[in-house]
Amino acid sequence: MAARAPILVTGAAGFIGHATAHRLLARGERVIGVDSVNDYYDPALKEARLATFDGVDGFDFHRADIADAETMARLVADNGITRVVHLAAQAGVRYSIENPFAYERSNLAGHLSIMEACRHAPGFEHLVYASSSSVYGDKPVGGAGFTEDEPAASPVSLYAATKRACELMSQAYAALYGFPQTGLRFFTVYGPWGRPDMAYFGFTQKILRGDPIEVFGEGKMARDFTYIDDIVDGIVGALDHPPARGQNRVLNIGDSHPVGLMEMIETLETALGRKAEKIMRPMQPGDVTATYADVSKLAALTGYQPRVMLAEGLTRFAAWYRDFYRAA
Ligand SMILES: NC(=O)c1ccc[n+]([C@@H]2O[C@H](COP(=O)([O-])OP(=O)(O)OC[C@H]3O[C@@H](n4cnc5c(N)ncnc54)[C@H](O)[C@@H]3O)[C@@H](O)[C@H]2O)c1
């Protein structure tokens, strides 16, 4: 049997992209990684993630901006790419208040340039791209959590608006050009090699230094915390089950088990073996009160089932953090 073409993974120096690329390599795929390695957060962490690919067969890395449509088209054409996992983006809700144009370039122009490259690729099979739970806005969530058929028409941050725009752009391209696409709405992903701009990571830095932590929303916020390995299960499962031609399918991918911020902090204190000094603060602009996912669609399609509970996941994160930063 002829070897399959490599898979393009964008955001390969990022948290989720690096873990996804490793999983694909481990099952014998070839992977072409792309990332601009920007300085939204410490580039040394991104370089360290990239260093984990040293000596791994089948991985090829390109330092490039996904908004550079010519370079993306060339990468896809020259390598005969037929499957793409598109995870590069400008993430973060709070940063979009100060840096709105970073979202325009990475999330809107970037998504378009990836789709343009895919639509011209002969025999193109599947584009899987990252969306976000933030598209649901600040709406009350009940029952089994947000379902994909909510209108998702009231974003409360520019980040959320660009992620919803990506879904709509993909819908138009699926209708116009037919190539199958899946948008995955991630719900707060955490774990080893995670993102320093996220609350659990910043809390860890502060708790280990003995600094106080700021608890926004008076601690009343609740989130689905989804462990990185579970997210990767869902991404790879979705990649392996493309929708029919002409379809852009949007799926939730979360833990489906909301945890209050105070409970998350207590669990982290246990994982670190230290108590946090807490300063209570009001909600920040763009934050949402509660999000958790109904994942029944992804489960029916791929057998997806989150396996790692928060206490176990944060224990693994704490061990990685101490090892990586040689922290006490
Ligand atoms: N981590 C989460 O909880 C979460 C939640 C919802 C959605 N998401 C989405 O999942 C995807 C991956 O997130 P992550 O947590 O791994 O974030 P990350 O910031 O760690 O990874 C994104 C990577 O994309 C790269 N990048 C940004 N703009 C680029 C550009 N123009 N060209 C090339 N590379 C560029 C960055 O350098 C970074 O390494 C993103 O699309 C994000 O919006 C993540």
Side-chain angles (χ1 to χ4, degrees):
M1 198 175 76
R4 287 187 88 180
I7 300 171
L8 179 67
V9 176
T10 73
F15 171 37
I16 303 176
H18 135 274
T20 304
H22 271 297
R23 178 76 66 86
L24 293 170
L25 289 160
R27 75 172 197 189
E29 305 270 9
R30 286 179 295 145
V31 171
I32 295 186
V34 170
D35 204 297
S36 60
V37 195
N38 69 24
D39 63 359
Y40 163 60
Y41 61 78
D42 187 7
L45 175 57
K46 296 182 182 181
E47 297 290 356
R49 292 192 191 114
L50 287 176
T52 64
F53 294 110
D54 289 352
V56 178
D57 275 351
F59 184 73
D60 187 15
F61 181 67
H62 294 260
R63 199 170 293 249
D65 188 332
I66 52 159
D68 174 352
E70 240 175 71
T71 302
M72 291 308 112
R74 205 173 335 108
L75 259 184
V76 167
D78 289 355
N79 294 287
I81 299 277
T82 58
R83 291 170 295 164
V84 174
V85 181
H86 171 38
L87 300 166
Q90 180 56 58
V93 168
R94 289 172 199 164
Y95 188 75
S96 65
I97 314 257
E98 300 289 326
N99 301 280
F101 293 103
Y103 294 75
E104 177 201 38
R105 181 164 181 88
S106 292
N107 301 5
L108 300 179
H111 190 72
L112 183 59
S113 109
I114 294 296
M115 287 196 305
E116 273 292 304
C118 296
R119 85 170 174 98
H120 288 108
F124 192 81
E125 292 171 54
H126 197 186
L127 166 61
V128 175
Y129 62 92
S131 185
S132 163
S133 61
S134 63
V135 301
Y136 291 115
D138 196 9
K139 283 183 40 191
V141 54
F146 285 121
T147 55
E148 293 88 345
D149 45 23
E150 305 263 344
S154 308
V156 293
S157 68
L158 182 67
Y159 169 67
T162 60
K163 285 292 177 181
R164 183 69 180 124
C166 290
E167 295 179 354
L168 295 172
M169 287 155 73
S170 281
Q171 185 65 33
Y173 263 52
L176 283 168
Y177 306 113
F179 63 90
Q181 298 180 68
T182 301
L184 295 174
R185 292 176 174 168
F186 297 129
F187 284 67
T188 314
V189 189
Y190 77 101
W193 296 101
R195 263 173 42 203
D197 61 323
M198 295 187 72
Y200 72 94
F201 201 118
F203 289 164
T204 299
Q205 287 168 319
K206 292 200 164 107
I207 293 170
L208 290 179
R209 271 196 236 125
D211 293 342
I213 62 171
E214 291 182 304
V215 182
F216 289 100
E218 306 286 346
K220 294 195 189 84
M221 289 188 278
R223 293 280 178 277
D224 234 0
F225 288 95
T226 319
Y227 190 67
I228 182 67
D229 294 5
D230 289 329
I231 284 286
V232 174
D233 283 350
I235 294 171
V236 174
L239 178 69
D240 291 344
H241 294 84
R245 268 193 70 74
Q247 279 189 25
N248 168 60
R249 173 182 62 189
V250 172
L251 298 168
N252 286 339
I253 170 166
D255 188 61
S256 222
H257 174 78
V259 177
L261 187 51
M262 296 314 285
E263 184 187 339
M264 185 274 266
I265 293 169
E266 273 168 38
T267 311
L268 185 60
E269 287 174 329
T270 306
L272 293 169
R274 299 264 182 100
K275 280 280 170 205
E277 186 192 329
K278 303 169 198 82
I279 303 173
M280 306 312 266
R281 301 272 192 226
M283 283 286 273
Q284 296 261 290
D287 273 345
V288 296
T289 323
T291 68
Y292 63 100
D294 180 326
V295 294
S296 45
K297 278 197 179 152
L298 182 63
L301 186 73
T302 68
Y304 171 78
Q305 197 190 359
R307 292 171 209 281
V308 180
M309 299 289 100
L310 188 65
E312 172 62 23
L314 284 178
T315 300
R316 292 187 203 173
F317 170 73
W320 168 82
Y321 184 96
R322 284 193 154 111
D323 183 49
F324 187 73
Y325 292 104
R326 303 263 172 257

